[in-house]
Amino acid sequence: MFRMHATGTVMPVSKNKPKNISGPRIRRLRLRRGWTEERLAAEVTAVGLPMDASAVRRIEARERKLFDGDILVLAKCLRTTTHQLVTGRDPKTVQ
């Protein structure tokens, strides 16, 4: 069973509480770059955070927790800010 997330992303319905708030944003940014889950995992691993495509899938589906270090590395690889990943807003436009 699936549901439409507020971001327009189709997400699987989980009986469990979401484990992160950034998964849909990470997915959107990854797709915008034209990257596969495998490519993002390789980029993250290359900068020192071992990750496989399965972990990327679970993060994007909000089935895996994200720690501060994870968000820092993902933001660097996706060429965005941690603020963007956490809030979904561009820090330059925040008043």
Side-chain angles (χ1 to χ4, degrees):
M1 185 175 271
F2 295 89
R3 69 176 173 81
M4 182 69 74
H5 188 268
T7 62
T9 305
V10 176
M11 303 292 296
V13 173
S14 174
K15 293 179 182 177
N16 299 326
K17 194 173 179 180
K19 295 185 177 173
N20 72 65
I21 61 171
S22 301
R25 293 182 195 105
I26 291 166
R27 177 180 168 79
R28 188 173 54 249
L29 290 166
R30 175 181 62 78
L31 292 173
R32 201 175 286 166
R33 292 195 154 286
W35 287 359
T36 62
E37 293 156 342
E38 291 79 8
R39 171 73 187 273
L40 179 55
E43 295 285 333
V44 169
T45 299
V47 294
L49 179 63
M51 187 175 290
D52 60 19
S54 156
V56 172
R57 273 185 220 99
R58 291 189 344 264
I59 289 168
E60 291 179 350
R62 301 171 73 185
E63 296 171 354
R64 180 182 181 277
K65 289 183 181 181
L66 284 174
F67 298 97
D68 295 346
D70 300 336
I71 293 171
L72 287 168
V73 171
L74 285 161
K76 179 178 180 173
C77 291
L78 291 166
R79 293 166 182 79
T80 190
T81 64
T82 55
H83 184 85
Q84 174 74 28
L85 288 184
V86 173
T87 67
R89 294 183 293 177
D90 183 349
K92 296 174 191 147
T93 62
V94 174
Q95 302 289 327

